[in-house]
Amino acid sequence: MSDSPRTEIEEKVKAFLDFNSQFSGRRTVIITSGGTTAPLERNTVRFIDNLSTGNRGASSAESFLRVERGDVSYSVIFLHRKSSALPFMRHFAVLSGSSGASFLDFDESSGVIQVVSDENLKSALRDRKRAESERRLLEISFESVEDYEIVVSSSCQAASSLGNELMFFSAAAVSDFYVPSDSMAEHKIQTSGGGMKMNLHPVPKFVGKVRKGWATEAYVASFKLETDVSLLEQKSKNSLSSNEVHVVIGNTLKDRYEKVTLFTLQGIGVIEKQGVSPIKQGVSPIEQELVSWLVDAHTKHIESS
Ligand code: 9Z3
């Protein structure tokens, strides 16, 4: 990406915030969602990827858009991996799945395809259209980890004028290692040389950059993912102190939709819901409760600073 995408993003964000500033009590949350790729070639055929589907970020966005506490409400800037889950639209993924045909009807005489009435799809569509018509949802996409740096830094810097009314919610699974574009092969790497060794560079922790430079007054919530549960507490605490964020939300791969642990300087809390999945259910209870906790924490942050 050149410099012009930065300008384009900043202009979009500023216009969105300008519109939302007319509503008293309206706060803004920047959500990052989905995985980043680490390309191996500049004309990219191959890249390193990760598991993130974007469901955590998308269902959290839905919960933020549903917040109505007195005059407190949220507008959402949703920074997401292209083709990962989107707020409300993710529910329609059932239509392209193996049971998709059971949701669809085809009327031969009129030639019309209809979606069989389904309460979850109806309310998802209603809420999506409402968020769009109220201009409370701005979606900006990224693909590679280098795109991610651009969309996050530009959005945060453009929104930093909101001060403590801004929240940054970092659910994206950002690549830990990458090949910087100046040391990347121009064209598809050839296999004729046999095996190969690759020098991967560490990716800086962007969430620390948000806290320490891009939006210093914002309330910042980040996630820590581990597969070995015995590492989660220590790694989350390390992240809390090194990135100086307000809360680290620890989760493990296999039960990430059933349990999250909140690490703050004040202590540790757990949110647990058994047998639920944001993919299968209309409203995801774990993100709903997490967002409710974050709204309270954001209020305290605003009141104390
Ligand atoms: C998370 O831990 C998210 O909860 C998941 C959500 C990516 C697991 P899905 O998108 O999954 O719903 O499929 N996100 C952060 C993961 C991460 O890479 N964090 C960094 C780290 O662990 C800190 S910035 O080092």
Side-chain angles (χ1 to χ4, degrees), residues 33-34 51-57 170-174 176 205 207 222-226 239 249 251 253 256-257:
S33 183
L51 68 111
S52 175
T53 61
N55 271 295
R56 167 83 82 214
S170 179
V174 184
D176 288 314
K205 294 288 178 202
V207 79
S222 76
F223 280 81
K224 184 82 204 162
L225 175 68
E226 290 297 336
S239 172
I249 304 152
N251 58 171
L253 183 61
R256 66 192 192 276
Y257 299 131

Side-chain angles (χ1 to χ4, degrees), residues 14-47:
K14 283 188 175 146
F16 177 75
L17 295 178
D18 195 38
F19 176 81
N20 277 279
S21 68
Q22 64 186 297
F23 303 101
S24 100
R26 172 99 15 119
R27 303 171 183 172
T28 298
V29 58
I30 297 179
I31 296 179
T32 75
S33 183
T36 60
T37 63
L40 304 186
E41 300 123 344
R42 231 171 280 152
N43 289 284
T44 309
V45 174
R46 305 186 189 91
F47 51 86

Side-chain angles (χ1 to χ4, degrees), residues 33-239:
S33 183
T36 60
T37 63
L40 304 186
E41 300 123 344
R42 231 171 280 152
N43 289 284
T44 309
V45 174
R46 305 186 189 91
F47 51 86
I48 304 172
D49 204 352
N50 66 55
L51 68 111
S52 175
T53 61
N55 271 295
R56 167 83 82 214
S59 58
S60 302
E62 292 167 14
S63 292
F64 275 109
L65 288 165
R66 288 186 177 122
V67 170
E68 275 174 30
R69 290 212 199 155
D71 71 343
V72 173
S73 62
Y74 280 81
S75 64
V76 174
I77 299 175
F78 190 69
L79 309 181
H80 66 96
R81 164 82 173 272
K82 271 174 207 145
S83 75
S84 69
L86 292 175
F88 307 114
M89 299 317 292
R90 70 196 175 94
H91 301 279
F92 290 84
V94 288
L95 299 181
S96 57
S98 56
S99 59
S102 63
F103 285 87
L104 298 170
D105 244 353
F106 178 51
D107 181 42
E108 289 286 352
S109 55
S110 64
V112 171
I113 295 177
Q114 283 181 322
V115 179
V116 174
S117 182
D118 175 274
E119 281 314 313
N120 180 30
L121 294 186
K122 268 201 274 184
S123 68
L125 191 58
R126 194 182 299 119
D127 289 350
R128 171 83 194 190
K129 284 185 177 291
R130 185 172 159 212
E132 283 177 2
S133 69
E134 292 178 351
R135 286 183 64 191
R136 282 213 286 145
L137 176 62
L138 174 66
E139 292 169 334
I140 300 173
S141 68
F142 57 82
E143 186 86 43
S144 70
V145 63
E146 292 191 331
D147 299 341
Y148 184 82
E149 191 273 337
I150 291 171
V151 298
V152 171
S153 62
S154 323
S155 306
C156 285
Q157 284 165 334
S160 65
S161 58
L162 295 178
N164 58 21
E165 300 272 328
L166 178 68
M167 186 189 306
F168 183 71
F169 177 97
S170 179
V174 184
S175 317
D176 288 314
F177 301 102
Y178 80 127
V179 183
S181 46
D182 52 12
S183 53
M184 208 182 273
E186 176 71 19
H187 291 290
K188 181 175 174 248
I189 299 166
Q190 297 300 309
T191 54
S192 44
M196 68 174 291
K197 285 201 174 119
M198 191 158 258
N199 190 14
L200 298 176
H201 295 233
V203 172
K205 294 288 178 202
F206 296 121
V207 79
K209 288 179 180 266
V210 173
R211 225 7 231 123
K212 295 169 200 170
W214 296 338
T216 52
E217 292 171 56
Y219 181 85
V220 177
S222 76
F223 280 81
K224 184 82 204 162
L225 175 68
E226 290 297 336
T227 55
D228 178 351
V229 69
S230 71
L231 296 178
L232 191 62
E233 179 165 346
Q234 199 48 56
K235 298 296 284 286
S236 300
K237 286 179 172 170
N238 293 349
S239 172

